[in-house]
Amino acid sequence: YTLKELKAAGFTTTQLRAVSFEARELTAAGYTVSELKDGGYTTAEELRQAGCMVRDLKEGGFAPAALRKGGFTAEELTAGGYSCKELREGGYSAADLRTADHTAADLRAAGYPVRALRAAKFTCAELANDAGYSVKELVGSGFLASEMRQVGFTAKQLRSSGLKIDELVKAGYTAVQLREAKFTVRDLRARGFSAVELEAVGCTASELRQGGF
């Protein structure tokens, strides 16, 4: 008898597994993923080898963690209908999801921390403009002042988020921008700004004297 005939006769996957039929054989005979799972074919790896599609496995109740162990990629699970949150809970990394073309906003909504997104090579601009992370969150994740400046954050914003004047000077913020961030003339003088430069950005003679010029 062929497997299709045995299926038509009512044989279950449990009975067929007991006599050493493989998952791929049962799939070819028309048994569903759910029937295979009920029959004891429980690893994603053997069902993958049997040619089962991710969408079928999802409908059969397989969790992303099991599919990850079976060698399925984040791209495959995304195409099969799993959400970003389900992928995160299944152990896929932020880098895995980025490879699967999910955006920074997708990953933030799924619960990935900002440091994980930075480690996955999302840019400061993507995290600020797409995902909507705050200046403080971006600073806390380790972005440099120079990277933050390229996105358009002001010296005042970065100072409020904990960055020091030396970091801002190194990043290329001007005397005008540093004055807007409320750094003193003495602060600027200590970082190499001249009296001429400071006078040009509006510092008074009194402020220059008080600043040590």
Side-chain angles (χ1 to χ4, degrees):
Y1 291 94
T2 66
L3 264 177
K4 286 187 177 181
E5 290 173 324
L6 292 174
K7 183 178 186 296
F11 282 89
T12 67
T13 54
T14 302
Q15 293 170 314
L16 296 174
R17 184 170 183 270
V19 291
S20 301
F21 281 103
E22 296 181 0
R24 61 180 177 78
E25 295 176 295
L26 273 63
T27 300
Y31 285 95
T32 66
V33 169
S34 181
E35 289 173 316
L36 291 172
K37 188 178 179 183
D38 290 342
Y41 299 93
T42 56
T43 70
E45 184 176 3
E46 63 182 338
L47 293 176
R48 179 188 178 91
Q49 292 172 351
C52 296
M53 303 298 290
V54 172
R55 195 169 296 278
D56 296 327
L57 294 172
K58 185 176 189 294
E59 291 174 357
F62 280 87
L67 299 186
R68 183 173 63 83
K69 290 179 181 178
F72 288 94
T73 66
E75 294 100 316
E76 290 174 309
L77 267 67
T78 297
Y82 286 96
S83 69
C84 277
K85 184 178 179 182
E86 288 173 316
L87 292 176
R88 179 182 64 78
E89 292 171 347
Y92 287 93
S93 69
D96 292 329
L97 269 70
R98 187 182 186 203
T99 301
D101 291 329
H102 289 287
T103 66
D106 293 334
L107 270 67
R108 184 181 187 186
Y112 285 93
V114 64
R115 284 186 179 275
L117 273 69
R118 183 170 183 264
K121 306 301 182 184
F122 282 100
T123 66
C124 187
E126 288 174 310
L127 298 187
N129 300 330
D130 179 22
Y133 284 104
S134 69
V135 181
K136 190 169 184 178
E137 288 172 315
L138 295 172
V139 168
S141 73
F143 281 105
L144 300 175
S146 57
E147 295 173 290
M148 305 284 284
R149 179 173 176 263
Q150 290 174 355
V151 176
F153 292 112
T154 67
K156 184 176 181 179
Q157 288 175 302
L158 297 187
R159 185 185 186 189
S160 297
S161 297
L163 293 185
K164 305 300 181 185
I165 186 171
D166 291 327
E167 296 171 284
L168 302 184
V169 171
K170 185 177 180 180
Y173 284 97
T174 66
V176 171
Q177 293 167 326
L178 294 170
R179 284 289 285 167
E180 289 173 349
K182 305 302 181 183
F183 287 108
T184 67
V185 170
R186 190 173 297 277
D187 291 330
L188 299 177
R189 178 177 177 273
R191 273 76 188 178
F193 290 95
S194 68
V196 173
E197 290 175 300
L198 297 181
E199 186 177 17
V201 300
C203 294
T204 66
S206 175
E207 287 175 317
L208 293 174
R209 284 195 301 274
Q210 291 175 2
F213 286 101

